[in-house]
Every structure is written in structure tokens, then in C-alpha cells.
Amino acid sequence: MHRLIKFLIMLTVLALGLSACGQTTTQPAAPEPQTIRETVTVRETVTVRETVVVPAEKTVVRVSGWASSPAETAQLESLLYRFSVENPDILVKYEPITGDYKQVLLTSIASGTEPDIFYVDIFWWLELATNDALLPLDDLMAGSGVSRDDFIPSLIDAFTYEGKTYGIPKDFNTLGMFYNKDLFDKAGLAYPTDDWTWDDLREAAAALTDLSDPNRPIYGFCTPPDPGRFPVFVFQNGGMVMNSDYSDTMLDSEAAVKAAEFYTSFRTQNIGALPSDLGEGWQGTLFGKGQCAMVYEGGWLIPYLRDQFPNTKYGVVMPPAGPGGEGNLIFTVAWGISANTKNPDAAWKVVNFLTSEASQKTVLESGFALPSRQSLQNSDYLKNNPNSAAIFNGSFFGARPFFWGAVGSDVNDQMSKALERIFKENQPVPEAMKQAADSIRKALR
């Protein structure tokens, strides 16, 4: 038995010696080692043997996107930190991309170095899905009890291809009609409502226009040659920008031509203006200055007015309906997962957390963007912020994604050029729209 005691003492000394040697090597950011104490009693002699247990290695998930603003980046980092606290086995690395986001992302995908999770813009997501760069999410969603019905239909449908879901919309914007309350009061007009029509819009624009001061003219409705505004009128007239499979444009259809005639008529009748007519590049600034009584803009105008024109009194309603009914545009970005990720389950945990009702409520209450969860439609925040609610509710009434297929950039470019020719060169509307359509068809070949 004395030999056993000596043997145990030798083991203890050896362990202590190895422990002292091991202190010269450290692993950066490694968690504190766990210690198991085992007590051995031999004839009143107690020896403590310590065994170091190396914890399991964390699963690393890389997340990327663009940095819209320091405040929004800080919020995302806060959410990711909260995720890490709740999921200590997953290490999330946030890697924002500066510069040309799409090009940098495509280059990383081509080289096989793309992040596990990344922003997917509505304007070009389909080319990633059709080239097998995105992971279908339906099985992961079902496994965690997440349903497509949890999200606003027009948003989740926007990232669906051949019956599969390729992205979870992180937030969105639609267009609302902003109106200047002081100018309406001065003209003795009742404020707009969600039930307005094109006729109401035209009549109000005429009544609100005041050109008595040439140094500060006031126009009823601004109509920029903007592909992010004009399509709403096409939809409201029962038309489409592209056909259902994006194989052809419909900009030269009767519905689109009539919509363009209505849109450009405000300036023709001198009750509307382009931002450039008044020396500005964006109509949001003119609205803040009180020179455009009504404009179509998204939720991004709300914080801009708060910071730059805090004295401007305004309201927001959904865009007036046209002969074809309601119409709106959806601007959105989704969280997508790389088809090549080595950790799909961990990546989905991150996406699911960021698009959960709790996280989206945080985003909503920050005022940065609107949530994609249907359940938040009745949130206290939207009840207390009717301007944001009007933009949120716009997603349920004739809203279509800001997406025109593989030649989307050409479509936007040709819409802008057609409107410019109508506005500044007096080109007949049917001729301008036909010229735009022909150019788009050439790009489709």
C-alpha cells in the first residue's frame, strides 16, 4: 500500500509539472477551462487530481451586409450580441462590406469565400437563386416552427422562386403620400385620406399650387423622372412594367402609356414640378422646404424631416387609387444563406433570431425601417405613429416588388429616359414609352 501512495504522489507531482509547462501556451479568446475535481482517499491520505477539460470549439458563422448608417449598424451589432449571449456555442462574426456591395459579394461567391449569411437585395436576388448560390430555407423554417404565413405575403413572396423560399425579409419600405398640413390649411382643403383617388390628387394639386412668388413657387405635386416612383401609377392603372416571367416589357401597353400621361400631366398643367425645376436633386428636400405640397416617398423621409425640417407639419396616407385600383412598390432586403455554408443549422439560428418578432419589434421601435412580421401590424408603435403605419399598411394593397428581372437596371434606365424626354423634350408619351420598350427588348435578347 505504501507503493500505491508513492505512485499517487508521483502522478500529482507530474500533473503539476505539466500544468506549469502548459502555461506558456495560450489560445486567444478561448473560454475558461472547466475543472473536474476527483477525490481519492487511501488510509487517511487525501490526494487531489486535477484534469483539464478543453471545451468544444465554437461554431463560427460569418454575417455580411452593407452599412446604411452608424446608428443602424450599432443596432445590428446589438442584436448579434444578444444572440451570442443566448447561443454561447455559436460565434458570429459581422463583416460589413463597403463600396460596391453586389460586386464584392459576387466576387466572394465566385471564389468560394462568401459569408454564411448576407444581405440579398430584392433587385438582384433572383440571379443568385437561379445560379444555386442561395440555400432554400423551407426545411430549416419548418424544423423550427417558422411559417411563411408569419410574414407579410408580398414580402415573403418576393423572395420565392419555383415554390422555394430563398430569403427572409429583414425589413422593408413602401411609398406613402406625404402631405404638408400647413399648405392644406392655407388652401382650405381637408387632409387626404387612404380613400383618395387620382381625381382627388389632381384637384388638390391644382388648389395647392401657388406661383405668386417667383422666388418661391409652391407646386401641388412633384413628379420626378424616377423609376422608383412612376411604376406605382402603372400598377394603379391596372398595368405592369414587365410580364409575369420577365421575358418582355409592358411599358408600351395602353395601361402603362395612360399612366405616363397622367403622371406627366401635373408638370404639363403647371401644377407639378420636377425637383430639378426648383434647384434640388430630391423632392424630399422640397417637401421639407414647403415647395412641394404632396410627394410620394418612403419611410426614409420621416427621420430626414425630423432632423432637417423639424418644423414641417405633415401627414402620410397610402397612395391614391387609380382606375385599376391600389398600387405600390416594395423596397426590401432579405437575409440569405449561402448554399455553400458548412453550418446551415447555425446560420439559420442567426437568421431566425434576427427576423423573430422580438428582434423586429426592436427594429420597428428604432424608426429605421418597418418589420416584415405580420403580427406587428397591430403593435403599439404603429398605433401611436400613424405616418409609419400608413407606409406599413401599403404593403397589403396592390404592392409589388421593385424588381424587373435580369435586365432590371436597363428597365430603370429606360423608364427614367422616357420620362425625361416627355418632360424636357415634349416627346409624345406613346412614342417615348415605345422607344423605352424597344430598348429593353434589345437588352433581353
Side-chain angles (χ1 to χ4, degrees):
M1 187 60 68
H2 288 294
R3 290 181 179 179
L4 178 58
I5 294 172
K6 288 182 179 179
F7 179 68
L8 290 173
I9 291 173
M10 287 177 62
L11 282 179
T12 301
V13 172
L14 180 60
L16 290 172
L18 289 173
S19 175
C21 293
Q23 291 176 1
T24 60
T25 303
T26 59
Q27 295 182 343
E32 290 291 329
Q34 301 175 10
T35 301
I36 297 177
R37 293 183 177 274
E38 183 178 314
T39 302
V40 180
T41 304
V42 182
R43 278 196 181 185
E44 310 299 330
T45 301
V46 177
T47 302
V48 177
R49 182 170 70 237
E50 293 189 351
T51 305
V52 175
V53 179
V54 179
E57 187 176 340
K58 286 189 175 187
T59 300
V60 176
V61 174
R62 295 167 56 219
V63 178
S64 191
W66 55 77
S68 299
S69 69
E72 191 170 0
T73 297
Q75 183 185 69
L76 174 57
E77 291 175 338
S78 175
L79 288 173
L80 292 175
Y81 173 76
R82 192 182 306 172
F83 173 86
S84 68
V85 171
E86 296 181 15
N87 299 270
D89 57 324
I90 300 175
L91 175 62
V92 180
K93 292 185 176 180
Y94 178 48
E95 304 170 355
I97 294 174
T98 57
D100 188 337
Y101 174 82
K102 181 184 178 184
Q103 188 56 52
V104 172
L105 178 64
L106 292 179
T107 300
S108 69
I109 291 173
S111 62
T113 59
E114 74 272 24
D116 299 280
I117 304 168
F118 44 83
Y119 284 0
V120 181
D121 193 285
I122 183 61
F123 202 64
W124 44 260
W125 78 276
L126 191 57
E127 63 186 272
L128 297 184
T130 54
N131 285 284
D132 300 321
L134 291 174
L135 184 72
L137 304 177
D138 303 273
D139 291 343
L140 292 166
M141 292 168 65
S144 54
V146 176
S147 170
R148 287 172 54 90
D149 294 337
D150 295 334
F151 302 92
I152 296 172
S154 56
L155 295 180
I156 197 72
D157 289 346
F159 295 98
T160 302
Y161 175 65
E162 294 186 343
K164 295 181 180 180
T165 309
Y166 287 92
I168 304 297
K170 73 181 191 70
D171 51 41
F172 78 101
N173 256 295
T174 63
L175 295 175
M177 190 177 81
F178 287 69
Y179 62 92
N180 186 303
K181 290 185 176 181
D182 285 340
L183 293 178
F184 269 79
D185 291 342
K186 182 180 179 181
L189 297 178
Y191 296 154
T193 69
D194 290 335
D195 298 324
W196 264 29
T197 66
W198 278 10
D199 289 338
D200 296 314
L201 177 61
R202 188 194 299 276
E203 291 173 9
L208 291 160
T209 297
D210 181 358
L211 308 181
S212 59
D213 183 353
N215 295 316
R216 195 179 182 279
I218 298 172
Y219 289 92
F221 184 54
C222 278
T223 53
D226 190 335
R229 305 294 180 274
F230 168 66
V232 172
F233 291 82
V234 178
F235 302 153
Q236 291 167 349
N237 203 37
M240 299 286 286
V241 173
M242 302 292 288
N243 63 1
S244 59
D245 64 358
Y246 307 104
S247 62
D248 193 14
T249 182
M250 300 181 71
L251 282 178
D252 54 352
S253 66
E254 182 179 0
V257 170
K258 293 295 184 184
E261 288 176 344
F262 177 76
Y263 187 76
T264 57
S265 69
F266 290 86
R267 186 171 184 266
T268 302
Q269 296 174 12
N270 216 27
I271 58 175
L274 311 184
S276 59
D277 293 336
L278 301 175
E280 293 289 349
W282 180 40
Q283 63 180 6
T285 302
L286 291 170
F287 181 80
K289 288 181 174 181
Q291 287 189 264
C292 283
M294 297 179 290
V295 297
Y296 280 15
E297 285 294 332
W300 49 79
L301 184 55
I302 294 175
Y304 176 77
L305 292 173
R306 180 193 63 214
D307 296 339
Q308 301 297 322
F309 299 96
N311 296 323
T312 298
K313 297 177 183 177
Y314 68 93
V316 186
V317 295
M318 288 189 291
E326 308 281 356
N328 212 322
L329 274 172
I330 286 180
F331 307 91
T332 184
V333 173
W335 289 111
I337 297 178
S338 169
N340 297 317
T341 181
K342 294 181 174 60
N343 302 299
D345 292 326
W348 167 249
K349 277 189 176 182
V350 177
V351 171
N352 191 28
F353 179 87
L354 292 173
T355 56
S356 66
E357 183 173 334
S359 294
Q360 293 234 314
K361 184 179 179 183
T362 299
V363 172
L364 171 62
E365 293 176 350
S366 72
F368 291 131
L370 295 170
S372 58
R373 287 264 176 176
Q374 288 206 71
S375 58
L376 291 171
Q377 184 178 17
N378 299 315
S379 67
D380 289 339
Y381 180 88
L382 290 179
K383 290 177 183 177
N384 296 324
N385 292 271
N387 292 335
S388 294
I391 295 171
F392 183 93
N393 292 332
S395 64
F396 295 98
F397 295 92
R400 294 180 174 88
F402 184 56
F403 175 71
W404 319 124
V407 295
S409 295
D410 296 280
V411 175
N412 278 343
D413 185 47
Q414 292 304 322
M415 275 194 284
S416 293
K417 288 180 177 178
L419 293 172
E420 288 275 4
R421 290 193 300 271
I422 297 167
F423 283 133
K424 297 183 177 181
E425 300 174 18
N426 296 318
Q427 184 179 24
V429 173
E431 182 182 317
M433 300 304 282
K434 180 67 165 61
Q435 184 176 335
D438 288 345
S439 295
I440 294 168
R441 291 185 179 114
K442 288 180 181 178
L444 284 165
R445 291 173 187 166

